[in-house]
Amino acid sequence: MRIGELSRRTGIPTRLLRYYEEQGLLTPVRLANGYRDYADRLVDRVEQIRGLLDAGLPTRVIREVLPCTDNPCTITVTDASDELVGLLEAERDKMDARIECLARNRDAIAAYLRQVEAARKR
DNA sequence: ATTCTTACA
DNA sequence: TGTAAGAA
């Protein structure tokens, strides 16, 4: 499929799909006319990338972790560099911190909503 | 009509 | 990330 269809199927603007390619996150083949040709399986890949990006991981880290997700993860475990491990540990900690922050805000909002509900019944 | 590249806000 | 210009 060409970039337009992939964009429709993933909800990601074509601008970003080209950007992901530039960052080495996607590697579509080229048609004779120069148009990018994306394999169907790349739809999942794009969703994968979105998830990681939304989680706050920088593209340089995703670039190294992604190949680990679609291939049999045997060789990847072997060549996990100390640097990558450190990067991922740092990302994990950031995620933990954000989860805690979100949980607090969620609880605060939930409490507020309960108050609103109680007030309406009276 | 679609996509491509490059460049700028 | 969004948008624009010019070419294919």
Side-chain angles (χ1 to χ4, degrees), chain A residues 19-20 25 48-59 62 98:
Chain A
Y19 177 68
Y20 295 161
L25 273 30
Q48 250 283 295
I49 293 172
R50 278 319 311 176
L52 265 8
L53 244 24
D54 290 340
L57 286 105
T59 59
I62 298 178
R98 282 174 26 230

Side-chain angles (χ1 to χ4, degrees), chain A residues 37-107:
Chain A
D37 185 36
Y38 298 88
D40 284 25
R41 60 198 208 73
L42 288 184
V43 172
D44 290 330
R45 176 122 175 164
V46 171
E47 290 169 352
Q48 250 283 295
I49 293 172
R50 278 319 311 176
L52 265 8
L53 244 24
D54 290 340
L57 286 105
T59 59
R60 61 167 301 241
V61 174
I62 298 178
R63 190 183 312 141
E64 303 182 69
V65 178
L66 219 50
C68 163
T69 55
D70 56 9
N71 304 318
C73 218
T74 45
I75 56 174
T76 317
V77 173
T78 309
D79 66 7
S81 68
D82 289 354
E83 191 214 13
L84 180 57
V85 172
L87 247 26
L88 292 178
E89 289 177 334
E91 296 303 336
R92 177 203 55 197
D93 293 341
K94 286 183 193 172
M95 288 185 208
D96 284 337
R98 282 174 26 230
I99 287 172
E100 285 177 45
C101 181
L102 285 173
R104 279 199 299 281
N105 289 149
R106 176 207 55 200
D107 292 345

Side-chain angles (χ1 to χ4, degrees), chain A residues 2-17:
Chain A
R2 294 177 318 196
I3 198 168
E5 188 183 341
L6 181 62
S7 177
R8 285 193 302 278
R9 304 220 304 205
T10 61
I12 303 303
T14 60
R15 169 73 175 83
L16 278 189
L17 292 175

Side-chain angles (χ1 to χ4, degrees), chain A residues 2 29-37:
Chain A
R2 294 177 318 196
V29 238
R30 294 293 180 146
L31 267 15
N33 57 10
Y35 287 10
R36 274 165 266 249
D37 185 36

